Amino acid sequence: MNDFRLPLGTIVEGFIDWITDTFGFFFDFIRAAFDGAYELVDFLLVTPPFWVIIVLAAGLALATRGWKFMVGTILGLTVIVGVDQWENAMDTLALVLVASVLAIAFSLPLGILAAKLTVASNIIRPILDFMQTMPAFVYLIPALILFRVGVVPGIVATIIFAMAPGVRLTELGIRGVDREVVEAGQAFGASPWRILRQIQLPLAMPTIMAGINQVIMLSLSMVVIAGMVGAGGLGADVVASLNRIDVALGFEAGLAVVILAIFLDRLTAALGTGDTPLGRILAARKRRSQQALAA
C-alpha cells in the first residue's frame, strides 16, 4: 500500500513541458502584449509629477463620492509620497489596473454565458471553485515556466486568482433580473442581444459592479505574491522587508497598499451604486432642461 502513488504531479509537469515546447511562440506573444500594456500604464502613472496624479485622483474622488472622499484621497496619496513609496505605488497600481481590466474582460463574457446556458454554468462553476481554492503560489510555478521572471507571471497569476467573483456575480446579477421584465421585452419583439444590452445588463449592473470591485480587491491582494517573481512595486518592498526583517520598510510599503486598496474600493463601490455627486448634478441639469423645454 505504501508503494501506491498517483503520478498527478508528473503528468501535469509533462503537460506544461509539452505546452512550452509546442506553443512557445504564442506565450512569447502574450508576454510581449501583457508587458507592453503594463509599461504603457506605468509610464502614464510614473512620468507626470506626483501632484498631477494626486489632482486627477482627487477630482475623480470628488465626482464619485464628494469632498470628504476627495480630502481623504489627497491625504492618503500625500502619505505615500511622504514615505518615499510613490513610484512603487504607481508600479503596483499599473499592475493592478492591467490585471483587473484583463480579468474583467474575461469574466464578464463568461458570466453572461453562464447566465444564458445552464450547461455552461455547470461547467464553469467547478472550474471557478478550483481556481479560488488552489493556493495562489501554485499558479506562479507554470506562469514562471511559460512567461519567465518579471511582471507578466504576476499579471497572469493575478488574473486567474481574481476573475472568479467577476464571473459569479455577473451570472448572479443577470439571473436575478425579474423574468417578467424580460418577457415584456420579448413580447415587444426585442432580440436576445437587445434584451441583454438594454434590460438585463442595466438592471444587473449593481451586482456586476460588486463583482468588479471584488476583482480589483483580489488583484491588489496579489501584490506581494507578484513581488516574489520580480514584478517590482510595493510587493517587492514587502518581500524585501520580510527577508531582512525590516519593520519600517514593511510597514511603509504595507500602508501604501492599504491606501491604494481603500481608494479603489470606495471608488468602485460608488460607481456601482450609480449615486454620485456628478450623476446628481447631471440629472438635475437634465430635469431643468426638460422643464424649460416643456415651458
Side-chain angles (χ1 to χ4, degrees):
M1 187 65 181
N2 293 333
D3 295 333
F4 175 76
R5 189 178 188 279
L6 293 174
L8 295 179
T10 305
I11 294 173
V12 173
E13 183 180 6
F15 179 68
I16 294 296
D17 291 339
W18 176 78
I19 288 180
T20 304
D21 296 335
T22 307
F23 301 102
F25 65 94
F26 174 74
F27 292 107
D28 289 340
F29 171 77
I30 295 296
R31 184 178 190 276
F34 284 10
D35 194 47
Y38 169 78
E39 292 292 341
L40 175 61
V41 176
D42 188 55
F43 174 80
L44 295 176
L45 292 174
V46 173
T47 303
F50 70 88
W51 58 266
V52 174
I53 303 299
I54 292 178
V55 169
L56 292 176
L60 195 58
L62 179 64
T64 53
R65 293 187 71 96
W67 68 271
K68 292 182 180 179
F69 185 42
M70 181 191 70
V71 173
T73 297
I74 294 173
L75 292 177
L77 295 181
T78 303
V79 169
I80 294 178
V81 176
V83 296
D84 198 24
Q85 289 289 347
W86 179 256
E87 187 170 346
N88 287 335
M90 294 302 100
D91 292 342
T92 295
L93 183 59
L95 187 149
V96 170
L97 291 177
V98 172
S100 298
V101 168
L102 291 171
I104 292 167
F106 294 142
S107 62
L108 290 182
L110 288 175
I112 294 172
L113 180 65
K116 293 294 185 179
L117 299 175
T118 304
V119 175
S121 178
N122 293 334
I123 295 173
I124 292 173
R125 190 177 299 114
I127 297 175
L128 296 179
D129 293 338
F130 177 83
M131 290 167 57
Q132 284 189 299
T133 54
M134 178 67 72
F137 289 96
V138 178
Y139 300 138
L140 293 178
I141 301 172
L144 281 171
I145 296 173
L146 297 174
F147 301 105
R148 300 189 292 276
V149 174
V151 71
V152 177
I155 292 176
V156 173
T158 301
I159 292 172
I160 296 173
F161 182 74
M163 65 182 292
V167 178
R168 293 185 189 278
L169 289 174
T170 299
E171 178 186 1
L172 178 63
I174 293 176
R175 288 184 180 273
V177 174
D178 192 349
R179 186 177 297 275
E180 294 182 356
V181 179
V182 177
E183 291 175 351
Q186 293 171 344
F188 280 99
S191 64
W193 166 247
R194 189 171 183 181
I195 290 174
L196 174 66
R197 182 169 53 90
Q198 297 185 350
I199 297 176
Q200 291 176 313
L201 286 179
L203 293 177
M205 191 54 63
T207 306
I208 294 174
M209 286 302 300
I212 292 175
N213 175 272
Q214 291 302 305
V215 168
I216 295 174
M217 291 298 100
L218 289 177
S219 298
L220 197 54
S221 71
M222 290 287 290
V223 167
V224 177
I225 297 177
M228 292 181 176
V229 294
L234 297 171
D237 274 6
V238 173
V239 174
S241 68
L242 180 63
N243 293 331
R244 302 201 302 257
I245 316 179
D246 189 339
V247 178
L249 179 62
F251 178 79
E252 291 172 354
L255 180 62
V257 173
V258 170
I259 292 171
L260 288 180
I262 293 174
F263 172 73
L264 294 174
D265 176 64
R266 300 297 187 270
L267 181 65
T268 53
L271 294 176
T273 60
D275 184 19
T276 64
L278 180 60
R280 290 193 292 269
I281 292 173
L282 293 176
R285 182 175 298 177
K286 184 178 180 180
R287 286 195 300 269
R288 286 195 297 269
S289 300
Q290 290 175 345
Q291 292 171 356
L293 290 173

